[in-house]
Amino acid sequence: MKIRTLRLLAKEGVSNVYKNKLMSTASIFTVIVTLFFLGIVLLLAVNITSNIEVMKRDLDITVFLNVDATDFEREEVTAYIESQKKDGIVSQYRIETKEEAFENIKKEIKNEALLKGLTAENMPMSYYIKLNNPADSDKVISDLSKFSGVNTEYGIGYNKDRLERLEGILKAFNYVLVTLLVVLSTVAIFLISNTIRLTVFARRREIEIMKYVGALDNFIRLPFIVEGLLIGFFGAVIAYLLTYQAYEWIQHVLNSILLNLGYTTLRLMEFYPVALRLFIIYSVFGVVIGAIGSLLSVRKHLNV
Amino acid sequence: MIKFVDATKVYSNGVVGLKNVTLTIEKGEFVFVIGASGAGKSTFLKLIMHEEAPTEGEVYVNGYSIHNMPRSEIPYLRRSLGVVFQDFRLLPNKTAYENVAFAMQMVEASPREIRRQIPLALGLVGLSKKAKAYPNQLSGGEQQRVVLARALVNNPSVLIADEPTGNLDPKTSMEIMNLFEEINQRGTTVIVATHEKDIVDKMKKRVIILEQGEVKSDEQKGHYINED
Ligand SMILES: Nc1ncnc2c1ncn2[C@@H]1O[C@H](COP(=O)(O)OP(=O)(O)OP(=O)(O)O)[C@@H](O)[C@H]1O
Ligand SMILES: [Mg+2]
């Protein structure tokens, strides 16, 4: 196909979008809705993934010794942890002495009556251990539980619950994402193909003449493909701008909520680092739905 | 050259449009196809331009065989044919000039060729002065001339017309027929399906008479339905 023919036919497609204002607007709108929701869910999923990473790094193993643990038993546990640190498994650890534990509990429990008769001697000593790799946690925990000084009943464990809950949410998000993707893009494709159908109908005379004078099938298809691509692309650009606005807002609100709840390490990431990638995803997606929509319609109603 | 070999067209609803037609139309001939309404005239022309394919038998047109023709060849078959209809089929938002140019653009003629050819084609049909007029500013006869210019501009070897004068008064019809004859004398094969007795009788061309899809008679210098 020669450039001037391409231009002629593409121009036809552009003017079809304009002539078909109402349906084009409706189609663009569905592309916007599709991409907007997909984008927000996608961004949140990315955030959850990155925050899970942050949390894993922060994960503490806590080990409480028995209240009556001997000095020897204490040395044994400390030596084990030190050796693990030397092997690069433990990144750092902190000891909370009986005295510190007593100070902390005094701060937590304001009611004097409950503290009555309680001394530092009644408090257990404990360790807060950070690992370099969370995957090692099961082994470290099982090693620690073998020491006689360690309180195995309630004194050993870590915040696995919160991690598992987040991973559950992430999985659910992925399901939502895939479902949204399928449902919304089907709707968008359907509407676009319907728009194109109207154009095919409006241009049937021209198409007929094109066939009679021996235009190639691709010539006949091209204006409709261009129309679909444009609808998809316009929708993508508008959806992108809306997503940007909405995300900034969500980020602002959620971050201040997280901060108020006392989570200092959990944050929604900035938009800018993913801006370009997201724009490309949007454009490609919009253009692909547009093209599929118009191809379906051209196939069905144009018989070319 | 066009050759029908035992060609039959049965439409999907079972109606027989054309039945066991065998005949040859040589290059440069002028042929009328006549017959009562529903006799198969349009079907005959549709097989030639592959608007329909024969269900049995074969039709050869300018070296293409219409039965089982690959899709990709159809445009090239059509480029060797010029087509004229009773209802004109011009694009209403294009001028006479642009309507003709459209046909050339669709086969990727160069802008130079377009500028050179269109005045010739419009001149041939006697419409040089109306190049800038839109179809709704033209009379029926003038519109049909534009259609004729469009059909001829890509130099087809065969001109096919399905009741080209069906919407025109007798005087205008005769003028259009004279144009067809002129085009035929330049070497183009002309095939016209028509109902117009006067024209057929006056022009003394080959006449193929169809009846219920079959060739009832095929005579050189024929007449409209022989009363017998
Ligand atoms: N697309 C179609 N589907 C089914 N039947 C058709 C179709 N086209 C034509 N026919 C039938 O085939 C027969 C021949 O039709 P055709 O159009 O060839 O007749 P015709 O001689 O051109 O008639 P007219 O003078 O009215 O134009 C008719 O019985 C018609 O009803
Ligand atoms: Mg007919």
Side-chain angles (χ1 to χ4, degrees):
Chain A
M1 192 179 296
K2 292 182 176 138
I3 299 289
R4 64 167 179 277
T5 316
L6 198 73
R7 240 180 34 205
L8 183 83
L9 297 171
K11 226 163 81 184
E12 198 67 45
V14 175
S15 85
N16 285 342
V17 175
Y18 186 75
K19 278 187 202 153
N20 225 344
K21 269 185 232 80
L22 197 68
M23 275 308 285
S24 297
T25 311
S27 302
I28 290 173
F29 187 74
T30 47
V31 176
I32 294 173
V33 172
T34 308
L35 285 175
F36 178 76
F37 282 114
L38 280 180
I40 294 292
V41 175
L42 186 70
L43 283 168
L44 291 181
V46 170
N47 269 300
I48 291 178
T49 312
S50 75
N51 276 316
I52 284 177
E53 285 309 310
V54 170
M55 286 183 62
K56 275 185 178 163
R57 250 177 280 127
D58 275 3
L59 232 46
D60 284 340
I61 294 176
T62 53
V63 184
F64 287 85
L65 298 187
N66 293 319
V67 175
D68 56 3
T70 62
D71 282 359
F72 174 75
E73 286 172 330
R74 199 186 68 211
E75 292 302 333
E76 221 178 21
V77 174
T78 310
Y80 168 77
I81 298 172
E82 271 296 340
S83 78
Q84 294 299 303
K85 192 172 175 192
K86 248 183 230 130
D87 293 348
I89 291 177
V90 169
S91 72
Q92 59 187 76
Y93 73 99
R94 182 169 67 78
I95 297 176
E96 191 181 82
T97 61
K98 285 170 176 274
E99 288 72 24
E100 281 164 349
F102 187 59
E103 288 307 310
N104 285 340
I105 203 164
K106 274 203 288 198
K107 264 183 246 153
E108 278 167 31
I109 302 177
K110 297 269 157 54
N111 190 336
E112 295 277 342
L114 284 177
L115 292 170
K116 208 164 169 205
L118 209 59
T119 66
E121 267 319 299
N122 302 121
M123 300 302 298
M125 190 191 126
S126 58
Y127 297 84
Y128 293 85
I129 306 168
K130 272 197 205 319
L131 300 181
N132 281 318
N133 182 355
D136 293 328
S137 60
D138 286 341
K139 175 169 185 305
V140 171
I141 287 171
S142 95
D143 283 353
L144 283 167
S145 62
K146 285 180 194 126
F147 291 105
S148 58
V150 170
N151 181 333
T152 49
E153 226 161 288
Y154 64 87
I156 189 163
Y158 67 120
N159 294 342
K160 216 171 174 178
D161 291 355
R162 202 161 57 152
L163 186 69
E164 275 168 357
R165 220 174 322 136
L166 266 175
E167 278 178 337
I169 293 175
L170 184 65
K171 221 181 242 163
F173 253 79
N174 284 338
Y175 283 126
V176 173
L177 192 72
V178 172
T179 314
L180 268 179
L181 188 89
V182 172
V183 173
L184 290 176
S185 33
T186 310
V187 172
I189 288 172
F190 173 78
L191 274 170
I192 290 175
S193 90
N194 220 36
T195 307
I196 307 279
R197 188 178 63 92
L198 288 186
T199 319
V200 171
F201 185 72
R203 290 187 62 230
R204 64 196 180 286
R205 172 62 40 108
E206 201 172 333
I207 292 161
E208 192 182 57
I209 293 167
M210 287 170 92
K211 286 184 179 173
Y212 280 125
V213 301
L216 301 178
D217 287 349
N218 280 339
F219 287 29
I220 299 174
R221 283 188 204 116
L222 192 91
F224 299 104
I225 309 288
V226 169
E227 187 181 352
L229 292 182
L230 274 181
I231 288 174
F233 185 70
F234 283 156
V237 171
I238 299 173
Y240 178 77
L241 296 175
L242 287 178
T243 308
Y244 169 63
Q245 286 297 318
Y247 185 76
E248 295 270 283
W249 182 80
I250 293 174
Q251 187 201 21
H252 181 78
V253 171
L254 277 188
N255 276 347
S256 58
I257 289 175
L258 283 173
L259 211 60
N260 283 339
L261 291 177
Y263 296 103
T264 47
T265 49
L266 298 187
R267 298 187 56 77
L268 290 199
M269 59 180 187
E270 292 295 317
F271 187 77
Y272 295 106
V274 292
L276 182 64
R277 232 177 313 161
L278 199 69
F279 184 73
I280 293 171
I281 292 176
Y282 271 41
S283 311
V284 169
F285 203 85
V287 161
V288 166
I289 341 189
I292 294 177
S294 64
L295 277 176
L296 283 180
S297 189
V298 167
R299 263 253 167 98
K300 193 158 158 214
H301 303 286
L302 209 54
N303 189 28
V304 293
Chain B
M1 194 185 70
I2 295 167
K3 194 168 171 181
F4 281 68
V5 183
D6 208 17
T8 295
K9 171 67 190 179
V10 182
Y11 284 105
S12 52
N13 59 0
V15 175
V16 178
L18 214 60
K19 203 164 149 191
N20 305 105
V21 172
T22 299
L23 57 80
T24 304
I25 298 172
E26 298 293 344
K27 183 164 172 37
E29 272 196 273
F30 193 124
V31 181
F32 283 117
V33 181
I34 65 173
S37 185
K41 303 182 293 295
S42 297
T43 305
F44 182 82
L45 299 184
K46 281 176 183 168
L47 289 185
I48 296 176
M49 45 189 168
H50 196 292
E51 206 177 309
E52 301 284 354
T55 40
E56 272 168 66
E58 187 54 277
V59 179
Y60 300 98
V61 180
N62 297 334
Y64 296 97
S65 56
I66 303 294
H67 204 165
N68 296 328
M69 187 172 189
R71 218 197 145 73
S72 58
E73 278 186 8
I74 299 173
Y76 300 99
L77 163 76
R78 299 257 170 91
R79 289 176 196 192
S80 73
L81 309 171
V83 193
V84 175
F85 303 93
Q86 176 174 2
D87 59 352
F88 313 143
R89 305 194 191 178
L90 291 168
L91 295 173
N93 56 349
K94 287 188 182 347
T95 63
Y97 185 97
E98 288 163 350
N99 264 287
V100 181
F102 185 70
M104 294 191 78
Q105 285 163 340
M106 287 306 109
V107 298
E108 308 216 89
S110 73
R112 261 180 67 119
E113 285 173 289
I114 293 177
R115 272 196 303 275
R116 206 173 42 223
Q117 292 286 329
I118 296 180
L120 291 180
L122 286 174
L124 175 69
V125 299
L127 261 192
S128 300
K129 295 214 179 80
K130 303 269 174 133
K132 291 202 174 107
Y134 287 89
N136 63 4
Q137 298 167 328
L138 295 170
S139 72
E142 288 168 334
Q143 288 185 50
Q144 197 58 300
R145 287 167 193 267
V146 179
V147 177
L148 199 50
R150 182 178 70 193
L152 294 173
V153 78
N154 291 326
N155 293 312
S157 62
V158 181
L159 182 64
I160 296 169
D162 195 351
E163 302 188 31
T165 59
N167 285 341
L168 304 175
D169 63 50
K171 184 171 162 285
T172 316
S173 298
M174 206 58 227
E175 285 168 12
I176 296 286
M177 275 308 158
N178 288 336
L179 264 175
F180 276 55
E181 174 142 47
E182 203 180 316
I183 290 155
N184 175 242
Q185 270 156 16
R186 293 161 179 249
T188 309
T189 310
V190 176
I191 307 172
V192 182
T194 185
H195 279 298
E196 312 221 16
K197 179 178 192 307
D198 291 351
I199 290 178
V200 176
D201 288 346
K202 205 175 281 175
M203 294 190 52
K204 304 203 167 30
K205 301 291 185 190
R206 176 177 174 189
V207 178
I208 297 168
I209 302 177
L210 293 177
E211 196 175 279
Q212 292 182 350
E214 291 182 283
V215 178
K216 191 193 170 205
S217 84
D218 180 354
E219 286 177 44
Q220 301 296 331
K221 303 202 175 177
H223 295 274
Y224 202 78
I225 324 279
N226 294 312
E227 327 275 331
D228 48 350

